[in-house]
Amino acid sequence: MLVRISLYLIFIFAFNFLNAKEVNIFTSRHYDSDIQLYKKFTKITGIDVNVISGKAKALEKRIVEEDKDSNADLVIVADVGALYSFEKKGLLQKIRSEILKKNIPNHLRNDYWFGITKRSRILFYNPDLIKSEDLVDITYEDLSKQKWKNKILVRKSDNIYNQSLVASIIENNSTKFTETWVKGLVNNMARKPRGNDRAQLLALASGEGTIAIANTYYYALMLSGKKGEDQKKAAQRIKPIFPNQKNRGTHINISGGAVLKYSKNKENAVKLLEFLTTDFAQKHIVDNTYEYSILENVEPNPIVKKMTGNIVEDVTTDISSFGKFQSKALEIMLKNGWQ
Ligand code: FE
């Protein structure tokens, strides 16, 4: 009898083991709201989600080192430059999914990686120091002009958002133009680059500079009050401006996901990616992280909607160029004194 029960238990264990419904995510996104979404996914599908967090480069290194033994199924990272790097190192596999194709605009995905959210790297200004009329038709390219001397706040060149922005200047102009542009921009910096995007906005509010470069969602996060009353007040003292409205539109980047070449749970990984592009998941994301949805029909959070208005998004620049020119961008930045 005891033997029979033991055999039965072994059978059940083996059965469950072989049918383990799980997916292992390696993510550089640090949001609790993402974890809530994964929990919801488990509730709906019965697929367990295991999360390994880290910086994109560290995750990439681990996946390279573990090679075929890696248990990573899905990588989710901020910035298309990071996705490009995974792709070029041959770490990803092609995915065919009608749902992803339908939900994600053409220019925000390829066969390997898929945009989950949009974010824009824009300018902010301090209205005590400059009038909005002086900024109406400003472009990223304008930031190297002499008139902005000692006025621009921006973080260090090791930041991937900055590298992608500079890469977009290369893509839309030339390497030679970008050399001169970076030189001018560095010349115009209000102080040595330091701190994160929110630090630039705080410095702007306190009058350390006239213009700051930062991603949209950091400003919205400050306005929301979730970062405290002081940061909310600081955000209320500054205003956003979306550059390049008259020509190619404002710089757009993505957070995105991709399935790894040696994924042992490919189907589950694709299911999770598809889930992240549903109306439900997108609504959850925009209301928690203040990013933009990749779905046309999901509106930004009211705070973001109010700050955005009817912007012209850059839909013509090939965003994989942000990855392609990333090391070139960094080289130019360092060569020209962007610390
Ligand atoms: Fe960020």
Side-chain angles (χ1 to χ4, degrees), residues 158-322:
D158 64 358
N159 170 253
I160 195 167
Y161 308 148
N162 280 342
Q163 293 165 15
S164 284
L165 181 63
V166 174
S168 78
I169 302 293
I170 299 176
E171 169 75 2
N172 284 299
N173 300 277
S174 68
T175 303
K176 203 168 156 28
F177 174 91
T178 307
E179 293 257 9
T180 313
W181 182 76
V182 167
K183 201 175 283 172
L185 176 58
V186 170
N187 225 353
N188 290 342
M189 286 180 188
R191 60 175 190 180
K192 270 189 189 172
R194 64 167 187 271
N196 56 18
D197 274 13
R198 274 185 295 116
Q200 313 312 313
L201 300 178
L202 290 170
L204 180 68
S206 68
E208 267 193 80
T210 309
I211 292 179
I213 302 174
N215 284 359
T216 40
Y217 53 91
Y218 290 111
Y219 174 67
L221 184 65
M222 288 166 73
L223 278 180
S224 76
K226 286 182 191 164
K227 287 288 168 188
E229 209 40 47
D230 288 352
Q231 294 206 12
K232 184 176 177 176
K233 280 192 184 129
Q236 286 167 341
R237 283 200 295 273
I238 61 176
K239 290 196 179 325
I241 188 128
F242 291 79
N244 293 61
Q245 288 296 281
K246 275 205 163 165
N247 45 27
R248 67 180 180 270
T250 293
H251 178 79
I252 297 286
N253 204 324
I254 55 168
S255 260
V259 180
L260 291 144
K261 187 165 70 180
Y262 296 122
S263 166
K264 280 117 195 143
N265 301 290
K266 178 186 169 183
E267 241 173 75
N268 296 346
V270 174
K271 253 185 219 163
L272 180 50
L273 264 182
E274 289 171 348
F275 170 75
L276 292 175
T277 67
T278 57
D279 283 24
F280 170 83
Q282 290 285 313
K283 179 98 182 79
H284 175 91
I285 292 171
V286 299
D287 282 340
N288 282 285
T289 68
Y290 305 109
E291 292 163 285
Y292 295 101
S293 171
I294 43 141
L295 298 176
E296 293 251 310
N297 60 309
V298 173
E299 296 216 321
N301 176 272
I303 299 173
V304 179
K305 200 176 170 183
K306 196 174 161 206
M307 71 179 272
T308 306
N310 299 314
I311 69 151
V312 179
E313 280 178 31
D314 181 351
V315 294
T316 51
T317 304
D318 173 11
I319 65 166
S320 59
S321 69
F322 306 169

